[in-house]
Amino acid sequence: MMRAQIEVIPCKICGDKSSGVHYGVITCEGCKGFFRRSQQASVSYSCSRQSNCPIDRSSRTRCQSCRLKKCVAQGMSRDAVKFGRMSKRQRDSLIAEVERHRQRQQQQQRIQANSMEAQTFSTYCPVKDPLDGSPPILQPLALAYPIHMDPEMQRCAPEVHPYLMCPPGELQASGLLYRRRGDRSGLTDSRGVDSRQSSPEQGPLGMSTTDMSLRPYDHEDAFCQYPTSLLHIEELCASIVRSHRETSQFRVEELQALRWKVFTREEIHMYHSKSVDEMWQLCADRLSDAVQYVVEFAKRLPGFRQIRQNDQINLLKSGSMEVVLVRMSRLFNTENSTVFFDGKFAGTEVFKNLLCGDLIMAVFDFADSMSALRLTDPQVAIFSALVLINPDRPGLEDRGRVQRLRKDIERALSHILHRDNQDTLLLRLYQKLPVLKALCSLHIEKLHWFRQLYPLTVHTHFPPLYKELFGSDSDTLPSSS
Ligand code: HC3
């Protein structure tokens, strides 16, 4: 294939302009050179953070360990050079990818041309689409739609649920890795004021409201219009679908092309040679990555920013794992019961050393039954929004507002299913809600069990966002020793 054609796809590692296929992956010259240097016997890198540093064009030189990890996860290998030519399958997949890129670029240009017009009458004021070109396919969207792309969305009140509200990199930079000791609820601000009583003008930390990543409820914004007309419902659907598309971590088409990439026996053995806590740590890392995208999805949902800040946090705390599980069905291959995990398709046996076979079986069964519904991506998007915007979650202060938004999303779901001639799916989707709840309770139960066995691993090695969502206060507070 012509190099110039491949170059329409950005570097799979950092998103910079690519220069062709290097070591088996489309990369730029910088990442090609980096990978070559990393292969020297004397080289060994380590990450001083959580081993999940974002790698993009501007940050790629900051952490060599994470950059190399990403190169390997994307499939870079010295062997790719030794074995020379690509297989027919790889070539076909590459051609298809180039074609999809072209089409997406064209589509994007059309959307951009239309969006100026659309924004003038949009009830939901959708977040400006950050795309200025087509997104790279099948790579973390931190590259395609960097989570730090919208500076206003990123700023946060760091001492209040820091990891829900800030991308990890920023927190490290601000040195605010932990909440203050003694702040048991995590909702108390630096002045000892309960953030739940935040004034309308100021956020919990006395910051202006624009300093928040999850925006606090804004009285100026209190008048929120809810759609009644078909046009509004359609706008709501489009806006939710866009939020999903921008934050969905992996693209369905590309996962489809990668279905043949299953873990080999040797690779499965490698997972089996990990200790229980190493395996938990790995899964906690992957799960946190997925949750990060769900948080971003929530922030881009129409109406979410108009919910009170503490309610936004409560919805995410109780709903983000459920959305991860809904999204997991997109990554599931029913033919061989595998899920796209850690760069390849994995069966339940990969997770053996977590020692929670019942949870893994239940999660895989759920993914299988969801995949069997053969939902389209827009249907997954709106169902995910429905799962997240749930007025029955504990601790909500303004349940009414959540209820109203939920009603709109319910209408949106009925509308899209009706439009797709699949009204019968509605009941089947609602039947999934209690299953999701039960899975999440089982997940938390497993974490309690694991914490009793390995309290230090959770406290010291688990990603802060994971602890923020699933852990207890003792997991997030600095240890007293
Ligand atoms: C199966 C899984 C939950 C789902 C995770 C998914 C499939 C989510 C979407 C991501 O894009 C890819 C991905 C990676 C990891 C998958 C998790 C691995 C194990 C976890 C189970 C529910 C076990 C819970 C792990 C624990 C106990 C550490 O929290």
Side-chain angles (χ1 to χ4, degrees):
M1 175 179 277
M2 297 270 297
R3 195 168 130 156
Q5 288 177 294
I6 293 172
E7 285 172 9
V8 300
I9 302 174
C11 171
K12 298 274 186 178
I13 313 303
C14 71
D16 201 353
K17 185 167 172 17
S18 71
S19 62
V21 179
H22 307 296
Y23 300 99
V25 174
I26 298 168
T27 72
C28 62
E29 284 296 306
C31 290
K32 173 180 111 181
F34 167 77
F35 185 77
R36 191 189 54 241
R37 291 189 295 280
S38 76
Q39 297 304 295
Q40 290 156 13
S42 56
V43 169
S44 145
Y45 303 130
S46 69
C47 174
S48 54
R49 295 174 205 99
Q50 309 287 334
S51 288
N52 59 0
C53 304
I55 306 294
D56 58 27
R57 200 172 150 215
S58 57
S59 67
R60 69 188 179 198
T61 53
R62 280 189 216 139
C63 180
Q64 294 171 311
S65 168
C66 289
R67 190 177 183 185
L68 179 58
K69 201 170 124 192
K70 188 155 182 198
C71 291
V72 175
Q74 290 291 334
M76 285 180 88
S77 122
R78 267 187 306 184
D79 297 344
V81 175
K82 275 194 238 147
F83 298 137
R85 288 174 66 86
M86 283 179 162
S87 68
K88 182 171 179 323
R89 185 180 241 166
Q90 285 170 316
R91 222 178 24 251
D92 289 348
S93 149
L94 188 58
I95 292 167
E97 188 175 345
V98 168
E99 191 41 43
R100 272 196 302 276
H101 251 271
R102 272 236 193 68
Q103 284 175 5
R104 208 169 306 130
Q105 264 170 351
Q106 285 167 358
Q107 194 185 2
Q108 202 51 48
Q109 281 158 4
R110 277 199 300 275
I111 291 170
Q112 273 171 352
N114 289 340
S115 71
M116 299 277 281
E117 201 186 332
Q119 274 178 16
T120 55
F121 62 83
S122 172
T123 317
Y124 280 96
C125 308
V127 174
K128 209 170 92 193
D129 197 331
L131 277 179
D132 55 5
S134 75
I137 312 168
L138 196 65
Q139 56 185 346
L141 270 134
L143 298 183
Y145 310 91
I147 285 172
H148 49 266
M149 207 120 182
D150 176 352
E152 214 188 311
M153 280 170 81
Q154 210 191 27
R155 277 179 248 136
C156 57
E159 288 178 68
V160 184
H161 294 277
Y163 299 98
L164 269 177
M165 303 170 79
C166 289
E170 274 199 359
L171 262 144
Q172 275 137 10
S174 69
L176 286 157
L177 279 171
Y178 292 102
R179 272 182 238 139
R180 287 171 317 106
R181 197 186 300 249
D183 176 359
R184 304 247 350 127
S185 71
L187 288 163
T188 318
D189 77 359
S190 54
R191 301 157 302 167
V193 174
D194 188 335
S195 63
R196 284 172 264 213
Q197 293 158 7
S198 55
S199 72
E201 298 80 29
Q202 292 193 323
L205 294 175
M207 289 175 166
S208 75
T209 50
T210 46
D211 285 331
M212 310 286 171
S213 187
L214 291 181
R215 286 213 192 128
Y217 171 76
D218 181 353
H219 282 218
E220 291 285 7
D221 223 0
F223 176 66
C224 189
Q225 296 168 50
Y226 290 96
T228 42
S229 73
L230 190 60
L231 177 66
H232 285 146
I233 293 282
E234 296 238 328
E235 276 174 17
L236 176 59
C237 289
S239 187
I240 297 174
V241 170
R242 182 169 53 224
S243 307
H244 170 80
R245 207 188 53 221
E246 289 171 354
T247 61
S248 61
Q249 199 171 9
F250 303 112
R251 292 185 174 278
V252 169
E253 316 89 282
E254 196 61 18
L255 288 162
Q256 208 54 28
L258 281 176
R259 282 174 157 235
W260 53 275
K261 230 178 156 191
V262 288
F263 283 115
T264 61
R265 275 230 291 250
E266 291 72 33
E267 286 166 334
I268 294 172
H269 183 75
M270 193 271 291
Y271 287 106
H272 289 177
S273 61
K274 286 186 187 294
S275 61
V276 175
D277 57 330
E278 279 173 339
M279 195 60 199
W280 268 71
Q281 217 178 300
L282 173 73
C283 288
D285 282 345
R286 294 295 158 272
L287 192 50
S288 292
D289 293 344
V291 165
Q292 183 92 54
Y293 287 93
V294 172
V295 172
E296 199 54 34
F297 168 65
K299 281 156 61 179
R300 292 172 190 218
L301 274 181
F304 189 78
R305 284 159 180 252
Q306 280 74 46
I307 294 173
R308 284 188 196 189
Q309 193 181 20
N310 285 313
D311 287 349
Q312 294 179 20
I313 292 166
N314 281 326
L315 292 176
L316 281 166
K317 284 192 99 172
S318 44
S320 54
M321 177 69 182
E322 294 189 8
V323 177
V324 166
L325 294 175
V326 170
R327 287 177 157 209
M328 178 180 162
S329 63
R330 298 168 72 248
L331 316 181
F332 193 79
N333 181 357
T334 42
E335 283 163 32
N336 55 6
S337 295
T338 54
V339 67
F340 192 72
F341 165 82
D342 222 12
K344 285 195 176 182
F345 280 84
T348 49
E349 70 280 9
V350 164
F351 303 98
K352 193 178 89 177
N353 283 8
L354 283 175
L355 299 187
C356 29
D358 51 348
L359 172 66
I360 296 298
M361 289 309 286
V363 164
F364 270 63
D365 278 351
F366 175 78
D368 191 48
S369 71
M370 278 293 292
S371 305
L373 300 180
R374 304 181 71 86
L375 300 182
T376 63
D377 230 25
Q379 292 168 351
V380 173
I382 299 172
F383 183 57
S384 302
L386 183 123
V387 166
L388 202 61
I389 308 300
N390 180 349
D392 299 330
R393 300 296 188 194
L396 292 179
E397 294 164 1
D398 187 354
R399 227 169 266 285
R401 180 166 283 265
V402 180
Q403 219 145 25
R404 288 194 296 277
L405 183 54
R406 165 66 172 243
K407 280 260 164 304
D408 292 339
I409 298 172
E410 284 171 358
R411 280 186 208 120
L413 186 63
S414 308
H415 172 73
I416 194 175
L417 293 176
H418 184 69
R419 193 197 62 189
D420 298 344
N421 238 329
Q422 290 187 295
D423 301 77
T424 51
L425 275 181
L426 194 63
L427 177 62
R428 299 178 75 184
L429 284 174
Y430 277 97
Q431 284 168 341
K432 298 291 177 204
L433 299 177
V435 185
L436 279 169
K437 196 171 169 198
L439 287 174
C440 291
S441 304
L442 186 55
H443 177 237
I444 296 296
E445 237 176 67
K446 297 294 172 192
L447 179 59
H448 288 325
W449 164 82
F450 180 79
R451 192 193 292 106
Q452 283 185 337
L453 287 180
Y454 301 94
L456 271 180
T457 304
V458 177
H459 188 279
T460 321
H461 297 299
F462 274 25
L465 178 63
Y466 182 99
K467 293 187 280 185
E468 184 89 39
L469 286 170
F470 311 123
S472 63
D473 285 346
S474 62
D475 297 327
T476 37
L477 292 169
S479 57
S480 49
S481 58

